[in-house]
Amino acid sequence: MFSKTDVLLFFSLFYLLNANSAKLDIVRQFKILKGYPLDSQLNFTELATEYGYTAEEHVVTTEDGYILTIFRIVRGRNCQGPLRKPPVLLMHGLFMSSDLWMDSGPGAGLAYLISDECYDLWAGNVRGNYYSKRHTNLNPNTIEFWNFTVQEMGRYDVPAMIDYITNYTSSETINYVGYSQGGCIYLVMCSEQQSYCEKVEVAILIAPGSRLTYTKSIPFRVLTDIYEISAPFLIEIGIYQALPWGGIVQQLASFICKDNETADTTCRDVLDKLDSPHPDSIETETIRVLFGHFPAGTSIKSMLWYNQALNVDDFQKFDYGPVINAEVYNSTTPPSYNLSATTNPTVVISGRNDFLSVPPDNEWLVNQLPNVIEHVVVEDPLWNHFDVPWSKLTSKDILPKITDYLYRYSKPGRG
Ligand SMILES: *[C@@H]1O[C@H](CO)[C@@H](O)[C@H](O)[C@H]1NC(C)=O
Ligand SMILES: *[C@@H]1O[C@H](CO)[C@@H](O)[C@H](O)[C@H]1NC(C)=O
Ligand SMILES: *[C@@H]1O[C@H](CO)[C@@H](O)[C@H](O)[C@H]1NC(C)=O
Ligand SMILES: *[C@@H]1O[C@H](CO)[C@@H](O)[C@H](O)[C@H]1NC(C)=O
Ligand SMILES: *[C@@H]1O[C@H](CO)[C@@H](O)[C@H](O)[C@H]1NC(C)=O
Ligand SMILES: *[C@@H]1O[C@H](CO)[C@@H](O)[C@H](O)[C@H]1NC(C)=O
């Protein structure tokens, strides 16, 4: 399938990419010349600019010192009237970054579509992905930096973004749209920092992660098992992150999937096996692009939390084992997250063919939450997990419900 030249090219690019960030732009030009789709090589701001949107970059520092880069599209290209208030914070899932909302282009990417509906759109990035790998005093090559799970993302990252956005826009509240882990960390925030939850007028949780007991994706289960088994060894040799951007998995995926035909066969199969098949939903061009931004990296500790979540019948905190649990939690078993604390209006959107955030777990979640105004089950019976960011059908299948609730929980601004 690939010639010797291809293999050589890949390893030279891989070497160069890891060599020196000053060479990055040259490598990028060369890659585009070699058939990588342009969009796969662009960051959030560049993508927005390419399609006629104006993006801003903002730097947010969390209470525990992590430095996160978040983005804003001030006004959608197709937004005619005044912007509505409050601002909307859109949050990505596991192994992803803000760029996933742009991978499928302006006709389908939710960042574009929501800003086209005249919302002040902010796209977050949690600690550990390629936009958020800095800290005020910890070195990102140390285990202390990578000592986090969804607990810290919900406890520190989301509150810091809410503080920043409300201060910057002089708005008292925001609206929140969280996908997968982006939904999970919202629930963690409400459990751990309820006062922040009250700053959200409506939270729209799409294919949320909480309890993961019935997740059907075998590859995801196997991946977390591999991390569970190999974590002591990896940590011993100084590897603390899982599937980083620029790492061998992302580089190889991006290299292989740049080809139209391979993207449509091998790469599509990988996505179908991680989740489930949905013919005619994700365009081949989107697959060519998305592996330029995915996987975006997280901590190995976070993988261990997922492994735990897949094997218990609960949505609970990290299990350190009975001895350390007793010190950290004053209880030998890890406490459950308090879902009763998500008291503000919540909308859950889920898909029947989603193999990661599956119907029984979503029904369980909806029954635990005290203020679900609607549980929307997407009409299309084949709607799955990866459709949320990448399907060409988002504007028809999920956008109307999202904008319906954003509209109800916002007010016209002054222009
Ligand atoms: C995105 O790309 C632009 C243009 O190359 C660059 O100026 C900017 O620093 C990049 N943003 C981030 C967060 O890397
Ligand atoms: C990681 O964090 C936990 C609790 O937040 C703490 O008990 C532990 O000492 C930390 N470990 C490292 C290596 O920093
Ligand atoms: C709030 O925003 C102003 C300017 O918009 C800035 O000077 C100030 O430092 C911000 N405060 C916080 C706590 O972020
Ligand atoms: C990509 O492949 C599809 C079939 O798999 C084909 O219809 C299309 O024309 C190809 N596009 C390009 C740009 O080669
Ligand atoms: C720890 O738990 C015990 C019993 O469950 C309780 O009596 C005690 O007050 C707790 N200590 C703290 C510091 O919360
Ligand atoms: C959970 O949150 C609710 C609402 O804030 C509160 O009333 C309840 O006491 C909390 N439960 C626990 C176990 O902390």
Side-chain angles (χ1 to χ4, degrees):
M1 185 168 61
F2 290 100
S3 67
K4 239 187 227 168
T5 337
D6 280 335
V7 175
L8 272 176
L9 172 67
F10 170 72
F11 281 103
S12 337
L13 289 173
F14 184 71
Y15 170 76
L16 281 172
L17 194 90
N18 284 289
N20 179 341
S21 65
K23 288 190 193 134
L24 264 176
D25 208 52
I26 300 166
V27 175
R28 186 159 85 160
Q29 296 305 327
F30 186 64
K31 282 181 156 185
I32 292 163
L33 209 67
K34 285 292 169 189
Y36 283 72
L38 174 66
D39 287 8
S40 74
Q41 302 303 309
L42 301 182
N43 69 27
F44 190 99
T45 316
E46 295 169 316
L47 283 164
T49 308
E50 186 197 353
Y51 292 108
Y53 293 74
T54 307
E56 295 173 358
E57 302 186 356
H58 294 267
V59 176
V60 176
T61 305
T62 68
E63 197 189 312
D64 61 345
Y66 286 78
I67 301 171
L68 320 173
T69 302
I70 68 173
F71 297 91
R72 178 192 197 192
I73 298 179
V74 185
R75 169 181 285 275
R77 187 177 68 175
N78 300 324
C79 158
Q80 307 297 341
L83 288 183
R84 295 183 68 82
K85 282 188 161 252
V88 175
L89 175 58
L90 183 59
M91 193 62 68
H92 63 80
L94 174 66
F95 290 133
M96 291 163 175
S97 76
S98 53
D99 299 352
L100 106 147
W101 306 116
M102 326 285 274
D103 287 332
S104 54
L110 283 180
Y112 296 120
L113 295 175
I114 294 174
S115 60
D116 280 342
E117 299 284 336
C118 295
Y119 294 95
D120 177 4
L121 183 108
W122 295 71
N125 281 300
V126 296
R127 60 186 64 195
N129 84 15
Y130 52 86
Y131 286 124
S132 300
K133 261 176 130 140
R134 289 184 293 155
H135 192 278
T136 49
N137 59 291
L138 293 178
N139 178 335
N141 297 322
T142 59
I143 189 165
E144 288 76 20
F145 179 92
W146 295 98
N147 188 15
F148 62 79
T149 65
V150 292
Q151 166 70 21
E152 286 74 22
M153 301 172 199
R155 167 72 179 75
Y156 298 108
D157 294 354
V158 186
M161 293 183 229
I162 292 179
D163 276 342
Y164 185 92
I165 296 168
T166 50
N167 177 47
Y168 191 86
T169 62
S170 310
S171 172
E172 274 167 25
T173 58
I174 65 152
N175 279 323
Y176 188 91
V177 180
Y179 160 55
S180 195
Q181 178 184 277
C184 171
I185 61 182
Y186 175 79
L187 301 168
V188 170
M189 175 179 78
C190 293
S191 168
E192 306 298 290
Q193 291 265 67
Q194 212 204 1
S195 59
Y196 280 93
C197 206
E198 283 154 13
K199 294 182 186 214
V200 178
E201 309 265 358
V202 66
I204 302 172
L205 311 181
I206 315 173
S210 60
R211 193 188 80 166
L212 299 175
T213 317
Y214 295 104
T215 292
K216 285 202 270 185
S217 169
I218 304 289
F220 185 56
R221 286 188 175 269
V222 170
L223 179 72
T224 69
D225 282 342
I226 292 173
Y227 277 110
E228 176 73 27
I229 294 163
S230 57
F233 167 74
L234 292 173
I235 287 165
E236 185 67 33
I237 62 170
I239 294 176
Y240 313 118
Q241 34 176 341
L243 303 185
W245 183 81
I248 187 105
V249 173
Q250 185 269 324
Q251 282 291 321
L252 197 57
S254 153
F255 178 73
I256 290 172
C257 303
K258 72 185 183 340
D259 295 307
N260 187 34
E261 218 172 286
T262 321
D264 203 30
T265 52
T266 314
C267 306
R268 187 178 290 285
D269 275 355
V270 168
L271 292 177
D272 286 357
K273 293 223 164 63
L274 266 171
D275 188 6
S276 68
H278 185 186
D280 291 322
S281 175
I282 300 179
E283 304 250 37
T284 306
E285 187 56 25
T286 304
I287 298 178
R288 292 183 67 216
V289 170
L290 73 90
F291 285 105
H293 306 128
F294 170 85
T298 189
S299 66
I300 285 183
K301 186 177 180 184
S302 158
M303 284 290 92
L304 302 183
W305 180 82
Y306 276 97
N307 187 261
Q308 172 191 335
L310 291 168
N311 291 297
V312 295
D313 183 12
D314 190 18
F315 177 40
Q316 59 175 211
K317 297 188 183 180
F318 190 81
D319 190 349
Y320 291 96
V323 177
I324 300 176
N325 284 344
E327 281 169 30
V328 179
Y329 307 124
N330 190 28
S331 143
T332 51
T333 54
S336 303
Y337 284 111
N338 185 2
L339 291 171
S340 312
T342 306
T343 47
N344 59 331
T346 314
V347 177
V348 174
I349 302 181
S350 66
R352 277 175 274 188
N353 192 33
D354 188 326
F355 273 40
L356 287 152
S357 174
V358 297
D361 289 329
N362 283 315
E363 275 147 32
W364 175 86
L365 174 65
V366 167
N367 286 328
Q368 306 290 310
L369 295 176
N371 195 3
V372 174
I373 42 181
E374 186 179 354
H375 177 196
V376 179
V377 178
V378 178
E379 218 167 285
D380 184 340
L382 292 182
W383 189 262
N384 67 22
H385 204 71
F386 293 145
D387 282 337
V388 176
W390 294 322
S391 170
K392 65 179 178 192
L393 307 170
T394 47
S395 67
K396 175 170 89 49
D397 282 359
I398 55 170
L399 183 71
K401 277 291 179 189
I402 298 172
T403 50
D404 181 18
Y405 282 105
L406 289 179
Y407 192 85
R408 279 195 226 178
Y409 287 89
S410 63
K411 295 188 186 69
R414 265 166 302 154

